[in-house]
Amino acid sequence: MSPERPTDDAATARAVLDGAGVVTGWNEGAHRLLGHSPEDVVGTPGARLLAAPVDGPCLPGDAPRWYGTLSLRHGDGRTLPVWVLAHRRPDTADGGPGGWLLLAPAAGGEVRPTDAALTARALVQSPCATAVYDDRLRLRRVNDAMAAVLGLPGDRIRGLRLSEVGGGPRSAELEDCMREVVATGRPKDVTVHMRTGGDQRAQAWLARMAPVTDHDGRVVRGVCLTAHDVTESRLARERLVLVNEASVRIGSTLDVTRTAQELADVCVPTLADFVSVDLLDTERYGGEPQRQVVAPVALRRIAHRSVGPVDDPGSASKLGDVDVYPLTSPQADSLVSGTTVVASVAAGDLDPWFAEDPVVAARVREHGVHCTMSVPIQARGTTLGVAVLTRVQRPDPFTAEDVLLAEEVTARAAVCIDNARRFSREREAALTLQRSLLPRTLPRTAALEAASRYLPAARAGVGGDWFDVIPLSGMRVAMVVGDVVGHGVSASATMGRLRTAVRTLADIDLAPDELLTHLDDLVVRLSAESGGDGSPGEVGASCLYAVYDPVSRICTLARAGHPPPLMLTPGGPPRTVKLPAGPPLGVGGLPFESAELELPEGTVLALFTDGLVEHRDRDLDASHRLLREVLATYDGSLDATCDDVLRALLPEGGAADDVALLLARTQGLPAGQVATWDVPSDPALVAPLRKQVVDRLDEWELSDAVFTAELVVSELVTNAIRYGARPIRLRLIHDATTLICEVSDSSHTAPHLRRARTFDEGGRGLLLVAQLTRRWGTRHTADGKTIWAELSLFADP
């Protein structure tokens, strides 16, 4: 080994000035350059060395560096122009200015005879791959690094063009860029992904092209091309982009299949040519993730992605298929071990699996698969499935960095998939509960014809929207639409309790405003029960309750913080029914008001929840206007109109909130199907009244019901005369299937059904009525009460 050559310090002239401009340092190089010895200069002002004044400050104190040519006085008296580089020195400990360090080449920078050979050898031995082309783009010289990149001897390819050396489309593109540099004289940088002669796989290269000009810098004599391998930096950048893309794209919804597909889409083609996502089969594993997986493993394909036509090179699985994988397969191996498994076909890692499954072996060889990576999908200590990444077109195998990247992306996706799975399970439970609590079919009544729709929220989960049609006494019918605040099982359960309460309160024939008052008290109690630590909960709801009487054609409505209904009368335009708003349920202590409307027969009422009309991209007025436009196209089919309304008002991806819609068309009862009598207060006159009832039933051709109806009328009228108060009125109403007997009086005392003892003289009338009729009851009115009983008719209408 040759001895180390010391640096020639005297080749650089060095001087030091303090903050006052006094020379404090002077080396041998400065002595050589200016002929002054250190003894002559040190301690004297530096300005004495200037042979000519300098315009402006010579060494500005606020600049970290200065350079320029100074006229300096040589020791022999002559003036010498010297190019000087000055560096500002740090301030002193006491805060004073630090001065300057001045440098200049002592030898004047002249070129020695050996410099040309030195620079030539430096070009050849430089680690930066460099090639020089003439103005005809013919190769003149390459250094050793470029020859290694090309994989060709440099002295044998002189005179060839780049496209001839490379022999590919990328080389031709680079040559076009070099031609542009020659024509314009401007440098150009190009990044290409290509396989060079010195490597078996494609790499990323940064090609920097600069023009080589003559001494005047005007005429381009050629192009200097340098190549830099940026594969690792590009891969690192792609990995960062992939991780960032995964955090943005994966988990955009709470849908398991969509999330799994997003994982597959993100990994192709950056990580693999084909990616499949298989989850543990829910039927085999009870719908729950597994903490410990045992082979063989049953997996269901829920997502895959390929760079070409979707065709799994490792199996014939389609979306939705379930395959069983033995322990010898990478899928089962990774799930059982809980770690990523990388398998290479060339290394024989898949041979045990191929021996068990020749079909898989044939497909792998047919498609040219050379390596796979199986990454278990794990979240919160449980295993959900596996993501399999396969390379076919990309020749390079998976690296350790690829494994880390795949695990990072899969881990992010696993949490999203688990969240989506949990949400789907809760949503399904809430939806099942919701559907079990909602009416499966609407009752057929003589008062109205109805159709309904219920749609759960697309993203927020099932809420507490409900609707109902409740038959009441006297052929009347109640219509209900409500909305519980919140989503999920809790909201569905609260909805079920409120719907049951409404039906119970409706059964005792409360007026709409009274019913909402009782319902409000219930919501207040539910809020108190749902709270914790002594504080109330936050149960709230809105409700619209309407009662329609087909005899009088009067509809009585009241609402509690709910959207008002729309009304379409025959021959008229749709319009919003004006109702007092009323506070939402759960506020407590505030009154509700009702309103009465006389509805022509054939009037369509639209009752709905706010999820139908409240949208992010459309204001409330526009939604109501659109709803009126759709109702105006009603052609006689309520079901078709329901579909038209949902199609027009809801966004394509589904509503953001639950939607309940109830359409009802009113029907009037003809006057000929109703008979009314004033009942005399003398019990002896009941017999003639029974005769009139029998005659009316004969007119209605209801002779089969005469005996039962006569007994019921006799008992109800006698009971009203004995215990009620005048005036007393009897009314008969019938339709095709039902005969209703009603006796009204001005007393508010309601009768009670009891079992009479052996020696009691009375108490058997209501018991007899209960046995002879389908149902009976009492409803209170503003003037007293009405006792009613319904008889089933089996005669042909």
Side-chain angles (χ1 to χ4, degrees), residues 63-411:
R65 188 180 68 179
W66 182 90
Y67 62 88
T69 302
L70 300 176
S71 297
L72 300 180
R73 184 177 292 106
H74 194 272
D76 58 7
R78 58 191 173 92
T79 299
L80 184 66
V82 178
W83 187 87
V84 176
L85 173 63
H87 296 283
R88 191 173 187 277
R89 304 186 70 188
D91 294 341
T92 60
D94 57 359
W100 292 86
L101 170 65
L102 285 70
L103 303 170
E110 68 275 9
V111 178
R112 297 181 295 175
T114 58
D115 284 351
L118 177 63
T119 54
R121 294 308 303 165
L123 173 65
V124 173
Q125 299 175 10
S126 171
C128 181
T130 306
V132 179
Y133 294 81
D134 60 19
D135 55 356
R136 296 179 301 164
L137 303 184
R138 296 290 178 179
L139 181 63
R140 290 307 175 196
R141 189 158 194 172
V142 296
N143 64 356
D144 295 343
M146 180 63 81
V149 168
L150 298 175
L152 297 170
D155 57 344
R156 299 294 184 181
I157 59 176
R158 290 179 182 171
L160 298 179
R161 301 206 325 256
L162 178 59
S163 57
E164 297 169 340
V165 174
R170 300 299 184 205
S171 299
E173 293 175 6
L174 288 176
E175 186 172 293
D176 291 338
C177 295
M178 293 169 57
R179 187 173 292 107
E180 179 183 343
V181 171
V182 172
T184 63
R186 293 192 296 269
K188 188 178 183 67
D189 293 347
V190 180
T191 302
V192 293
H193 195 79
M194 59 187 298
R195 184 172 66 85
T196 63
D199 207 319
Q200 296 301 315
R201 64 187 181 94
Q203 293 177 290
W205 294 92
L206 173 61
R208 313 199 72 170
M209 291 163 273
V212 179
T213 61
D214 56 13
H215 292 292
D216 296 331
R218 296 178 180 178
V219 180
V220 177
R221 297 297 187 183
V223 179
C224 178
L225 171 66
T226 59
H228 306 272
D229 187 353
V230 294
T231 303
E232 290 303 321
S233 61
R234 181 169 182 174
L235 288 177
R237 185 167 57 252
E238 289 178 352
R239 294 187 183 103
L240 290 175
V241 170
L242 180 62
V243 171
N244 180 69
E245 186 179 4
S247 64
V248 174
R249 292 179 55 184
I250 299 178
S252 60
T253 65
L254 285 172
D255 180 79
V256 174
T257 302
R258 177 72 178 274
T259 304
Q261 188 61 53
E262 290 167 347
L263 169 61
D265 293 344
V266 164
C267 294
V268 175
T270 306
L271 267 178
D273 300 322
F274 182 87
V275 174
S276 65
V277 180
D278 302 329
L279 299 186
L280 295 174
D281 183 33
T282 55
E283 296 181 2
R284 177 166 180 173
Y285 298 101
E288 293 295 327
Q290 301 296 300
R291 292 191 176 274
Q292 184 63 43
V293 180
V294 179
V297 181
L299 297 172
R300 183 181 297 275
R301 176 69 53 82
I302 65 169
H304 56 205
R305 179 66 183 272
S306 174
V307 293
V310 177
D311 188 9
D312 189 349
S315 70
S317 296
K318 307 298 181 183
L319 290 178
D321 290 352
V322 177
D323 285 335
V324 178
Y325 294 87
L327 183 59
T328 53
S329 65
Q331 291 91 330
D333 188 10
S334 65
L335 289 176
V336 172
S337 64
T339 59
T340 301
V341 173
V342 179
S344 171
V345 175
D349 299 332
L350 300 176
D351 290 347
W353 186 26
F354 291 166
E356 292 189 39
D357 196 337
V359 176
V360 172
R363 288 188 63 87
V364 168
R365 295 189 181 96
E366 175 187 356
H367 289 84
V369 176
H370 63 86
C371 64
T372 66
M373 175 168 50
S374 299
V375 185
I377 302 174
Q378 299 171 322
R380 300 179 176 94
T382 58
T383 300
L384 305 174
V386 63
V388 180
L389 292 78
T390 304
R391 285 186 177 177
V392 180
Q393 299 180 11
R394 285 184 60 170
D396 52 311
F398 289 111
T399 63
E401 289 77 12
D402 293 332
V403 172
L404 292 176
L405 181 58
E407 290 177 343
E408 171 70 18
V409 174
T410 304

Side-chain angles (χ1 to χ4, degrees), residues 9 52 59 146 189 317 328 384 412 437 445 463 572 627 640 749 764 777:
D9 186 66
L59 299 176
M146 180 63 81
D189 293 347
S317 296
T328 53
L384 305 174
R412 292 172 180 262
L437 296 174
T445 67
L627 178 57
T749 303
R764 295 177 178 85

Side-chain angles (χ1 to χ4, degrees), residues 79 202 206 272 358 391 471 503 524 537 558 704 722 749 788:
T79 299
L206 173 61
R391 285 186 177 177
R503 295 187 73 90
V524 171
D704 292 342
R722 180 175 300 176
T749 303
W788 55 270

Side-chain angles (χ1 to χ4, degrees), residues 568-583:
L568 174 64
T569 57
R575 61 186 178 89
T576 301
V577 177
K578 294 183 179 180
L579 290 178

